[in-house]
Amino acid sequence: MTKQVAELVSYDPAAHAELMAGYCIYAQPGERILVMGNVQTVPLFSEVARALLRRGALPALRLEYPGQQEDFVRLAPDDLLDLLHPAELADMHGIDGSIRLMTHSLPGQGEGVDPKRQARRSKVQGPLNAARSSKKWTLTQYPTPQGAAAAGMSQAQYEDFVSRAMFLNAPDPVAEWGKVREMQAKLIERLSVTDKIRIVAPGTDLTLSVKGRSWANSDGKRNMPSGEVFVSPLEDSAEGQIYFGLPTEYQGQPVEGITLRFEGGKIVQARAEVGDAVLQAALDTDPGARFLGEIGIGTNYGIQTPSRNILYDEKIGGTVHLAAGRSYPETGGTNQSAVHWDMICELRGNGGQILLDGEVFQENGAFV
């Protein structure tokens, strides 16, 4: 018998936009919603604007060209590099929410950018990011050919991957995200009474405390797609070492094979097999960049193949990720930084474990 091959799902920007405007940002009449994207996202960008208008919300549209931020860091004189114009901050305070449409970096987009200048610019923009984060926000990824190439897929395969990850192939995507919320709520019941979390894997033995912190159920409202539970650990609690084997990018520049060592919650040693200068510059951005802002546990077993895209890869069921830098106040975190960099640790098929107060919670990527 011939094995039947599942038909690839075609990407529908209108369906994606409805999910973003309705479910993710839950736009209300009269709200001013900032929509940010680059020209590659125009099919989705325009549909999001239409979806907001149908809900009576006012789209504030900000369209950039790919590499615009990198050009600024490369070319701006020092006085501009270190300037946050008051009008930018005032405009951010004048919105009710934001939708960010991201794309994978173009080849060479981050080349020639001085990591130290990039870190300076990130520090200057800290108040701008804080203002945006104080309002409701959501972000998603538009499937470009560059994203498909980075994931090692054809464009059709990548669009299928993206669509299924968001349940756009389901009759009622919102209902599917409701099921994710319910499943993750059960995990949080156990995590919420935990003090010490220990992560064990090749090159990894790290302990930290989450006592008294509030776990967040990431059900696709802020990150689309999602599938994780996360919390900000106690700032001075991380002890030990962790190895992040899944490749990542930071501000358009590739970084791979990251090892971090912690003492008293602080990153005291750090190295990367690829992109070490980028790592060092990011950690030197400000004092808070050397402390943890998040621990997240991926629960989306529909995403199993790394795609070199943090939005998808950090949700992979069977992985755990930590973020250096800014924490989430809603989970009890107090760490402040212009940096929030998620790094992913593989726990599948390598004997990896997550232990809660000494009890195995996950082993080889499966919850027990």
PDB file of all heavy atoms in Angstrom, residues 68-103:
ATOM      1  N   GLN A  68      17.156  48.189   8.777  1.00  0.00           N
ATOM      2  CA  GLN A  68      17.125  49.603   9.157  1.00  0.00           C
ATOM      3  C   GLN A  68      17.808  49.833  10.509  1.00  0.00           C
ATOM      4  O   GLN A  68      18.577  50.783  10.673  1.00  0.00           O
ATOM      5  CB  GLN A  68      15.671  50.091   9.214  1.00  0.00           C
ATOM      6  CG  GLN A  68      15.525  51.555   9.569  1.00  0.00           C
ATOM      7  CD  GLN A  68      14.099  52.047   9.378  1.00  0.00           C
ATOM      8  OE1 GLN A  68      13.459  51.740   8.379  1.00  0.00           O
ATOM      9  NE2 GLN A  68      13.601  52.823  10.339  1.00  0.00           N
ATOM     10  N   GLN A  69      17.536  48.972  11.468  1.00  0.00           N
ATOM     11  CA  GLN A  69      18.144  49.133  12.791  1.00  0.00           C
ATOM     12  C   GLN A  69      19.655  48.916  12.723  1.00  0.00           C
ATOM     13  O   GLN A  69      20.432  49.625  13.386  1.00  0.00           O
ATOM     14  CB  GLN A  69      17.503  48.161  13.780  1.00  0.00           C
ATOM     15  CG  GLN A  69      16.018  48.387  14.006  1.00  0.00           C
ATOM     16  CD  GLN A  69      15.700  49.767  14.546  1.00  0.00           C
ATOM     17  OE1 GLN A  69      16.440  50.299  15.378  1.00  0.00           O
ATOM     18  NE2 GLN A  69      14.618  50.360  14.078  1.00  0.00           N
ATOM     19  N   GLU A  70      20.073  47.941  11.938  1.00  0.00           N
ATOM     20  CA  GLU A  70      21.516  47.678  11.797  1.00  0.00           C
ATOM     21  C   GLU A  70      22.223  48.857  11.131  1.00  0.00           C
ATOM     22  O   GLU A  70      23.337  49.227  11.523  1.00  0.00           O
ATOM     23  CB  GLU A  70      21.743  46.397  11.000  1.00  0.00           C
ATOM     24  CG  GLU A  70      21.378  45.120  11.740  1.00  0.00           C
ATOM     25  CD  GLU A  70      19.895  44.793  11.693  1.00  0.00           C
ATOM     26  OE1 GLU A  70      19.120  45.571  11.092  1.00  0.00           O
ATOM     27  OE2 GLU A  70      19.499  43.768  12.270  1.00  0.00           O
ATOM     28  N   ASP A  71      21.573  49.473  10.129  1.00  0.00           N
ATOM     29  CA  ASP A  71      22.149  50.643   9.481  1.00  0.00           C
ATOM     30  C   ASP A  71      22.320  51.785  10.480  1.00  0.00           C
ATOM     31  O   ASP A  71      23.327  52.513  10.439  1.00  0.00           O
ATOM     32  CB  ASP A  71      21.265  51.106   8.317  1.00  0.00           C
ATOM     33  CG  ASP A  71      21.490  50.304   7.050  1.00  0.00           C
ATOM     34  OD1 ASP A  71      22.425  49.471   7.032  1.00  0.00           O
ATOM     35  OD2 ASP A  71      20.730  50.498   6.084  1.00  0.00           O
ATOM     36  N   PHE A  72      21.347  51.946  11.353  1.00  0.00           N
ATOM     37  CA  PHE A  72      21.442  53.011  12.350  1.00  0.00           C
ATOM     38  C   PHE A  72      22.673  52.823  13.233  1.00  0.00           C
ATOM     39  O   PHE A  72      23.438  53.755  13.479  1.00  0.00           O
ATOM     40  CB  PHE A  72      20.169  53.038  13.205  1.00  0.00           C
ATOM     41  CG  PHE A  72      20.084  54.227  14.120  1.00  0.00           C
ATOM     42  CD1 PHE A  72      19.403  55.363  13.740  1.00  0.00           C
ATOM     43  CD2 PHE A  72      20.696  54.213  15.367  1.00  0.00           C
ATOM     44  CE1 PHE A  72      19.331  56.473  14.576  1.00  0.00           C
ATOM     45  CE2 PHE A  72      20.638  55.309  16.212  1.00  0.00           C
ATOM     46  CZ  PHE A  72      19.955  56.448  15.815  1.00  0.00           C
ATOM     47  N   VAL A  73      22.871  51.583  13.701  1.00  0.00           N
ATOM     48  CA  VAL A  73      24.014  51.313  14.578  1.00  0.00           C
ATOM     49  C   VAL A  73      25.322  51.500  13.825  1.00  0.00           C
ATOM     50  O   VAL A  73      26.306  52.010  14.372  1.00  0.00           O
ATOM     51  CB  VAL A  73      23.911  49.895  15.173  1.00  0.00           C
ATOM     52  CG1 VAL A  73      25.161  49.543  15.970  1.00  0.00           C
ATOM     53  CG2 VAL A  73      22.673  49.785  16.066  1.00  0.00           C
ATOM     54  N   ARG A  74      25.362  51.089  12.557  1.00  0.00           N
ATOM     55  CA  ARG A  74      26.590  51.231  11.757  1.00  0.00           C
ATOM     56  C   ARG A  74      26.940  52.702  11.491  1.00  0.00           C
ATOM     57  O   ARG A  74      28.099  53.092  11.552  1.00  0.00           O
ATOM     58  CB  ARG A  74      26.429  50.534  10.405  1.00  0.00           C
ATOM     59  CG  ARG A  74      26.459  49.028  10.415  1.00  0.00           C
ATOM     60  CD  ARG A  74      26.537  48.514   8.984  1.00  0.00           C
ATOM     61  NE  ARG A  74      26.280  47.093   8.890  1.00  0.00           N
ATOM     62  CZ  ARG A  74      25.100  46.566   8.592  1.00  0.00           C
ATOM     63  NH1 ARG A  74      24.058  47.343   8.360  1.00  0.00           N
ATOM     64  NH2 ARG A  74      24.946  45.254   8.521  1.00  0.00           N
ATOM     65  N   LEU A  75      25.928  53.499  11.139  1.00  0.00           N
ATOM     66  CA  LEU A  75      26.172  54.790  10.504  1.00  0.00           C
ATOM     67  C   LEU A  75      25.928  56.005  11.395  1.00  0.00           C
ATOM     68  O   LEU A  75      26.466  57.083  11.114  1.00  0.00           O
ATOM     69  CB  LEU A  75      25.277  54.919   9.260  1.00  0.00           C
ATOM     70  CG  LEU A  75      25.458  53.833   8.196  1.00  0.00           C
ATOM     71  CD1 LEU A  75      24.420  53.989   7.093  1.00  0.00           C
ATOM     72  CD2 LEU A  75      26.859  53.854   7.629  1.00  0.00           C
ATOM     73  N   ALA A  76      25.133  55.873  12.424  1.00  0.00           N
ATOM     74  CA  ALA A  76      24.787  57.043  13.235  1.00  0.00           C
ATOM     75  C   ALA A  76      26.004  57.558  13.998  1.00  0.00           C
ATOM     76  O   ALA A  76      26.765  56.767  14.567  1.00  0.00           O
ATOM     77  CB  ALA A  76      23.678  56.685  14.221  1.00  0.00           C
ATOM     78  N   PRO A  77      26.220  58.864  14.028  1.00  0.00           N
ATOM     79  CA  PRO A  77      27.286  59.415  14.877  1.00  0.00           C
ATOM     80  C   PRO A  77      26.949  59.178  16.349  1.00  0.00           C
ATOM     81  O   PRO A  77      25.804  58.871  16.696  1.00  0.00           O
ATOM     82  CB  PRO A  77      27.271  60.907  14.538  1.00  0.00           C
ATOM     83  CG  PRO A  77      25.910  61.170  13.975  1.00  0.00           C
ATOM     84  CD  PRO A  77      25.491  59.913  13.299  1.00  0.00           C
ATOM     85  N   ASP A  78      27.942  59.328  17.188  1.00  0.00           N
ATOM     86  CA  ASP A  78      27.784  58.979  18.596  1.00  0.00           C
ATOM     87  C   ASP A  78      26.636  59.719  19.265  1.00  0.00           C
ATOM     88  O   ASP A  78      25.936  59.159  20.104  1.00  0.00           O
ATOM     89  CB  ASP A  78      29.082  59.240  19.364  1.00  0.00           C
ATOM     90  CG  ASP A  78      30.142  58.178  19.092  1.00  0.00           C
ATOM     91  OD1 ASP A  78      29.803  57.173  18.433  1.00  0.00           O
ATOM     92  OD2 ASP A  78      31.292  58.345  19.528  1.00  0.00           O
ATOM     93  N   ASP A  79      26.436  60.999  18.906  1.00  0.00           N
ATOM     94  CA  ASP A  79      25.380  61.750  19.583  1.00  0.00           C
ATOM     95  C   ASP A  79      24.003  61.196  19.248  1.00  0.00           C
ATOM     96  O   ASP A  79      23.088  61.231  20.079  1.00  0.00           O
ATOM     97  CB  ASP A  79      25.466  63.245  19.249  1.00  0.00           C
ATOM     98  CG  ASP A  79      25.377  63.527  17.753  1.00  0.00           C
ATOM     99  OD1 ASP A  79      25.609  62.609  16.948  1.00  0.00           O
ATOM    100  OD2 ASP A  79      25.078  64.680  17.392  1.00  0.00           O
ATOM    101  N   LEU A  80      23.829  60.680  18.030  1.00  0.00           N
ATOM    102  CA  LEU A  80      22.565  60.037  17.670  1.00  0.00           C
ATOM    103  C   LEU A  80      22.454  58.644  18.276  1.00  0.00           C
ATOM    104  O   LEU A  80      21.371  58.222  18.700  1.00  0.00           O
ATOM    105  CB  LEU A  80      22.427  59.950  16.149  1.00  0.00           C
ATOM    106  CG  LEU A  80      21.983  61.199  15.404  1.00  0.00           C
ATOM    107  CD1 LEU A  80      21.825  60.889  13.922  1.00  0.00           C
ATOM    108  CD2 LEU A  80      20.685  61.749  15.969  1.00  0.00           C
ATOM    109  N   LEU A  81      23.567  57.912  18.284  1.00  0.00           N
ATOM    110  CA  LEU A  81      23.557  56.558  18.827  1.00  0.00           C
ATOM    111  C   LEU A  81      23.094  56.561  20.279  1.00  0.00           C
ATOM    112  O   LEU A  81      22.390  55.652  20.723  1.00  0.00           O
ATOM    113  CB  LEU A  81      24.954  55.943  18.722  1.00  0.00           C
ATOM    114  CG  LEU A  81      25.074  54.462  19.078  1.00  0.00           C
ATOM    115  CD1 LEU A  81      24.404  53.599  18.028  1.00  0.00           C
ATOM    116  CD2 LEU A  81      26.540  54.069  19.223  1.00  0.00           C
ATOM    117  N   ASP A  82      23.466  57.602  21.011  1.00  0.00           N
ATOM    118  CA  ASP A  82      23.160  57.677  22.434  1.00  0.00           C
ATOM    119  C   ASP A  82      21.921  58.524  22.731  1.00  0.00           C
ATOM    120  O   ASP A  82      21.672  58.888  23.886  1.00  0.00           O
ATOM    121  CB  ASP A  82      24.355  58.255  23.193  1.00  0.00           C
ATOM    122  CG  ASP A  82      25.589  57.361  23.099  1.00  0.00           C
ATOM    123  OD1 ASP A  82      25.410  56.126  23.059  1.00  0.00           O
ATOM    124  OD2 ASP A  82      26.716  57.882  23.066  1.00  0.00           O
ATOM    125  N   LEU A  83      21.122  58.826  21.707  1.00  0.00           N
ATOM    126  CA  LEU A  83      19.955  59.686  21.876  1.00  0.00           C
ATOM    127  C   LEU A  83      18.664  58.886  21.821  1.00  0.00           C
ATOM    128  O   LEU A  83      18.453  58.088  20.902  1.00  0.00           O
ATOM    129  CB  LEU A  83      19.925  60.761  20.777  1.00  0.00           C
ATOM    130  CG  LEU A  83      18.657  61.631  20.725  1.00  0.00           C
ATOM    131  CD1 LEU A  83      18.582  62.543  21.944  1.00  0.00           C
ATOM    132  CD2 LEU A  83      18.610  62.436  19.431  1.00  0.00           C
ATOM    133  N   LEU A  84      17.798  59.106  22.801  1.00  0.00           N
ATOM    134  CA  LEU A  84      16.414  58.660  22.727  1.00  0.00           C
ATOM    135  C   LEU A  84      15.563  59.921  22.625  1.00  0.00           C
ATOM    136  O   LEU A  84      15.417  60.667  23.599  1.00  0.00           O
ATOM    137  CB  LEU A  84      16.018  57.845  23.957  1.00  0.00           C
ATOM    138  CG  LEU A  84      14.550  57.390  24.004  1.00  0.00           C
ATOM    139  CD1 LEU A  84      14.197  56.551  22.786  1.00  0.00           C
ATOM    140  CD2 LEU A  84      14.259  56.633  25.283  1.00  0.00           C
ATOM    141  N   HIS A  85      15.038  60.185  21.443  1.00  0.00           N
ATOM    142  CA  HIS A  85      14.294  61.419  21.225  1.00  0.00           C
ATOM    143  C   HIS A  85      13.008  61.408  22.048  1.00  0.00           C
ATOM    144  O   HIS A  85      12.294  60.397  22.081  1.00  0.00           O
ATOM    145  CB  HIS A  85      13.963  61.576  19.735  1.00  0.00           C
ATOM    146  CG  HIS A  85      13.587  62.970  19.354  1.00  0.00           C
ATOM    147  ND1 HIS A  85      12.364  63.516  19.661  1.00  0.00           N
ATOM    148  CD2 HIS A  85      14.288  63.942  18.713  1.00  0.00           C
ATOM    149  CE1 HIS A  85      12.314  64.749  19.217  1.00  0.00           C
ATOM    150  NE2 HIS A  85      13.472  65.038  18.639  1.00  0.00           N
ATOM    151  N   PRO A  86      12.698  62.521  22.709  1.00  0.00           N
ATOM    152  CA  PRO A  86      11.477  62.568  23.529  1.00  0.00           C
ATOM    153  C   PRO A  86      10.203  62.223  22.755  1.00  0.00           C
ATOM    154  O   PRO A  86       9.266  61.665  23.323  1.00  0.00           O
ATOM    155  CB  PRO A  86      11.446  64.024  24.027  1.00  0.00           C
ATOM    156  CG  PRO A  86      12.865  64.474  23.982  1.00  0.00           C
ATOM    157  CD  PRO A  86      13.483  63.768  22.815  1.00  0.00           C
ATOM    158  N   ALA A  87      10.177  62.553  21.459  1.00  0.00           N
ATOM    159  CA  ALA A  87       8.984  62.261  20.667  1.00  0.00           C
ATOM    160  C   ALA A  87       8.744  60.755  20.544  1.00  0.00           C
ATOM    161  O   ALA A  87       7.595  60.303  20.510  1.00  0.00           O
ATOM    162  CB  ALA A  87       9.118  62.887  19.279  1.00  0.00           C
ATOM    163  N   GLU A  88       9.832  59.975  20.464  1.00  0.00           N
ATOM    164  CA  GLU A  88       9.681  58.525  20.379  1.00  0.00           C
ATOM    165  C   GLU A  88       9.042  57.966  21.640  1.00  0.00           C
ATOM    166  O   GLU A  88       8.143  57.125  21.581  1.00  0.00           O
ATOM    167  CB  GLU A  88      11.046  57.870  20.160  1.00  0.00           C
ATOM    168  CG  GLU A  88      11.691  58.135  18.821  1.00  0.00           C
ATOM    169  CD  GLU A  88      12.970  57.345  18.664  1.00  0.00           C
ATOM    170  OE1 GLU A  88      12.898  56.144  18.308  1.00  0.00           O
ATOM    171  OE2 GLU A  88      14.043  57.910  18.913  1.00  0.00           O
ATOM    172  N   LEU A  89       9.509  58.447  22.792  1.00  0.00           N
ATOM    173  CA  LEU A  89       8.974  57.974  24.059  1.00  0.00           C
ATOM    174  C   LEU A  89       7.533  58.437  24.249  1.00  0.00           C
ATOM    175  O   LEU A  89       6.676  57.661  24.707  1.00  0.00           O
ATOM    176  CB  LEU A  89       9.852  58.467  25.204  1.00  0.00           C
ATOM    177  CG  LEU A  89       9.686  57.777  26.560  1.00  0.00           C
ATOM    178  CD1 LEU A  89       9.876  56.276  26.441  1.00  0.00           C
ATOM    179  CD2 LEU A  89      10.676  58.357  27.558  1.00  0.00           C
ATOM    180  N   ALA A  90       7.241  59.679  23.882  1.00  0.00           N
ATOM    181  CA  ALA A  90       5.882  60.197  24.010  1.00  0.00           C
ATOM    182  C   ALA A  90       4.912  59.396  23.139  1.00  0.00           C
ATOM    183  O   ALA A  90       3.783  59.096  23.557  1.00  0.00           O
ATOM    184  CB  ALA A  90       5.844  61.675  23.624  1.00  0.00           C
ATOM    185  N   ASP A  91       5.354  59.058  21.929  1.00  0.00           N
ATOM    186  CA  ASP A  91       4.495  58.285  21.034  1.00  0.00           C
ATOM    187  C   ASP A  91       4.215  56.900  21.610  1.00  0.00           C
ATOM    188  O   ASP A  91       3.088  56.400  21.516  1.00  0.00           O
ATOM    189  CB  ASP A  91       5.152  58.162  19.656  1.00  0.00           C
ATOM    190  CG  ASP A  91       4.202  57.578  18.626  1.00  0.00           C
ATOM    191  OD1 ASP A  91       3.062  58.054  18.532  1.00  0.00           O
ATOM    192  OD2 ASP A  91       4.602  56.630  17.926  1.00  0.00           O
ATOM    193  N   MET A  92       5.223  56.285  22.241  1.00  0.00           N
ATOM    194  CA  MET A  92       5.026  54.966  22.820  1.00  0.00           C
ATOM    195  C   MET A  92       4.065  55.031  24.001  1.00  0.00           C
ATOM    196  O   MET A  92       3.253  54.120  24.213  1.00  0.00           O
ATOM    197  CB  MET A  92       6.361  54.367  23.242  1.00  0.00           C
ATOM    198  CG  MET A  92       6.319  52.874  23.467  1.00  0.00           C
ATOM    199  SD  MET A  92       5.895  51.937  21.967  1.00  0.00           S
ATOM    200  CE  MET A  92       7.411  52.107  21.016  1.00  0.00           C
ATOM    201  N   HIS A  93       4.130  56.104  24.765  1.00  0.00           N
ATOM    202  CA  HIS A  93       3.194  56.268  25.878  1.00  0.00           C
ATOM    203  C   HIS A  93       1.771  56.520  25.387  1.00  0.00           C
ATOM    204  O   HIS A  93       0.809  56.337  26.152  1.00  0.00           O
ATOM    205  CB  HIS A  93       3.645  57.416  26.788  1.00  0.00           C
ATOM    206  CG  HIS A  93       4.771  57.062  27.712  1.00  0.00           C
ATOM    207  ND1 HIS A  93       4.671  56.053  28.653  1.00  0.00           N
ATOM    208  CD2 HIS A  93       6.027  57.568  27.828  1.00  0.00           C
ATOM    209  CE1 HIS A  93       5.811  55.965  29.327  1.00  0.00           C
ATOM    210  NE2 HIS A  93       6.656  56.861  28.838  1.00  0.00           N
ATOM    211  N   GLY A  94       1.638  56.914  24.113  1.00  0.00           N
ATOM    212  CA  GLY A  94       0.329  57.241  23.572  1.00  0.00           C
ATOM    213  C   GLY A  94      -0.403  56.093  22.914  1.00  0.00           C
ATOM    214  O   GLY A  94      -1.453  56.299  22.290  1.00  0.00           O
ATOM    215  N   ILE A  95       0.131  54.877  23.019  1.00  0.00           N
ATOM    216  CA  ILE A  95      -0.553  53.717  22.438  1.00  0.00           C
ATOM    217  C   ILE A  95      -1.241  52.907  23.530  1.00  0.00           C
ATOM    218  O   ILE A  95      -0.932  53.041  24.717  1.00  0.00           O
ATOM    219  CB  ILE A  95       0.422  52.812  21.664  1.00  0.00           C
ATOM    220  CG1 ILE A  95       1.469  52.187  22.604  1.00  0.00           C
ATOM    221  CG2 ILE A  95       1.079  53.577  20.522  1.00  0.00           C
ATOM    222  CD1 ILE A  95       2.322  51.112  21.963  1.00  0.00           C
ATOM    223  N   ASP A  96      -2.188  52.089  23.104  1.00  0.00           N
ATOM    224  CA  ASP A  96      -2.878  51.173  24.032  1.00  0.00           C
ATOM    225  C   ASP A  96      -2.356  49.750  23.931  1.00  0.00           C
ATOM    226  O   ASP A  96      -2.651  48.917  24.779  1.00  0.00           O
ATOM    227  CB  ASP A  96      -4.381  51.185  23.740  1.00  0.00           C
ATOM    228  CG  ASP A  96      -4.991  52.554  23.972  1.00  0.00           C
ATOM    229  OD1 ASP A  96      -5.025  52.994  25.140  1.00  0.00           O
ATOM    230  OD2 ASP A  96      -5.414  53.192  22.989  1.00  0.00           O
ATOM    231  N   GLY A  97      -1.590  49.472  22.896  1.00  0.00           N
ATOM    232  CA  GLY A  97      -1.031  48.140  22.711  1.00  0.00           C
ATOM    233  C   GLY A  97      -0.195  48.099  21.452  1.00  0.00           C
ATOM    234  O   GLY A  97      -0.188  49.056  20.657  1.00  0.00           O
ATOM    235  N   SER A  98       0.531  46.998  21.247  1.00  0.00           N
ATOM    236  CA  SER A  98       1.394  46.893  20.071  1.00  0.00           C
ATOM    237  C   SER A  98       1.395  45.477  19.524  1.00  0.00           C
ATOM    238  O   SER A  98       1.285  44.500  20.270  1.00  0.00           O
ATOM    239  CB  SER A  98       2.825  47.322  20.402  1.00  0.00           C
ATOM    240  OG  SER A  98       3.413  46.441  21.336  1.00  0.00           O
ATOM    241  N   ILE A  99       1.521  45.404  18.213  1.00  0.00           N
ATOM    242  CA  ILE A  99       1.670  44.143  17.489  1.00  0.00           C
ATOM    243  C   ILE A  99       2.964  44.235  16.702  1.00  0.00           C
ATOM    244  O   ILE A  99       3.127  45.130  15.859  1.00  0.00           O
ATOM    245  CB  ILE A  99       0.497  43.888  16.530  1.00  0.00           C
ATOM    246  CG1 ILE A  99      -0.828  43.817  17.295  1.00  0.00           C
ATOM    247  CG2 ILE A  99       0.723  42.608  15.728  1.00  0.00           C
ATOM    248  CD1 ILE A  99      -2.055  43.701  16.392  1.00  0.00           C
ATOM    249  N   ARG A 100       3.899  43.323  16.973  1.00  0.00           N
ATOM    250  CA  ARG A 100       5.189  43.342  16.277  1.00  0.00           C
ATOM    251  C   ARG A 100       5.255  42.161  15.314  1.00  0.00           C
ATOM    252  O   ARG A 100       5.092  41.007  15.722  1.00  0.00           O
ATOM    253  CB  ARG A 100       6.329  43.278  17.289  1.00  0.00           C
ATOM    254  CG  ARG A 100       7.703  43.438  16.691  1.00  0.00           C
ATOM    255  CD  ARG A 100       8.685  44.065  17.670  1.00  0.00           C
ATOM    256  NE  ARG A 100       8.664  43.417  18.977  1.00  0.00           N
ATOM    257  CZ  ARG A 100       9.679  42.720  19.496  1.00  0.00           C
ATOM    258  NH1 ARG A 100      10.790  42.562  18.800  1.00  0.00           N
ATOM    259  NH2 ARG A 100       9.589  42.193  20.688  1.00  0.00           N
ATOM    260  N   LEU A 101       5.480  42.456  14.045  1.00  0.00           N
ATOM    261  CA  LEU A 101       5.577  41.444  13.002  1.00  0.00           C
ATOM    262  C   LEU A 101       7.052  41.298  12.641  1.00  0.00           C
ATOM    263  O   LEU A 101       7.650  42.208  12.059  1.00  0.00           O
ATOM    264  CB  LEU A 101       4.759  41.848  11.771  1.00  0.00           C
ATOM    265  CG  LEU A 101       3.319  42.317  12.048  1.00  0.00           C
ATOM    266  CD1 LEU A 101       2.633  42.718  10.753  1.00  0.00           C
ATOM    267  CD2 LEU A 101       2.518  41.238  12.774  1.00  0.00           C
ATOM    268  N   MET A 102       7.629  40.166  12.969  1.00  0.00           N
ATOM    269  CA  MET A 102       9.062  39.971  12.782  1.00  0.00           C
ATOM    270  C   MET A 102       9.334  39.100  11.559  1.00  0.00           C
ATOM    271  O   MET A 102       8.461  38.379  11.075  1.00  0.00           O
ATOM    272  CB  MET A 102       9.658  39.320  14.028  1.00  0.00           C
ATOM    273  CG  MET A 102       9.394  40.111  15.302  1.00  0.00           C
ATOM    274  SD  MET A 102      10.214  39.410  16.759  1.00  0.00           S
ATOM    275  CE  MET A 102       9.521  37.764  16.795  1.00  0.00           C
ATOM    276  N   THR A 103      10.570  39.173  11.068  1.00  0.00           N
ATOM    277  CA  THR A 103      11.033  38.295   9.996  1.00  0.00           C
ATOM    278  C   THR A 103      12.428  37.813  10.341  1.00  0.00           C
ATOM    279  O   THR A 103      13.121  38.405  11.170  1.00  0.00           O
ATOM    280  CB  THR A 103      11.093  39.029   8.638  1.00  0.00           C
ATOM    281  OG1 THR A 103      12.007  40.130   8.746  1.00  0.00           O
ATOM    282  CG2 THR A 103       9.730  39.526   8.215  1.00  0.00           C
TER     283      THR A 103
END
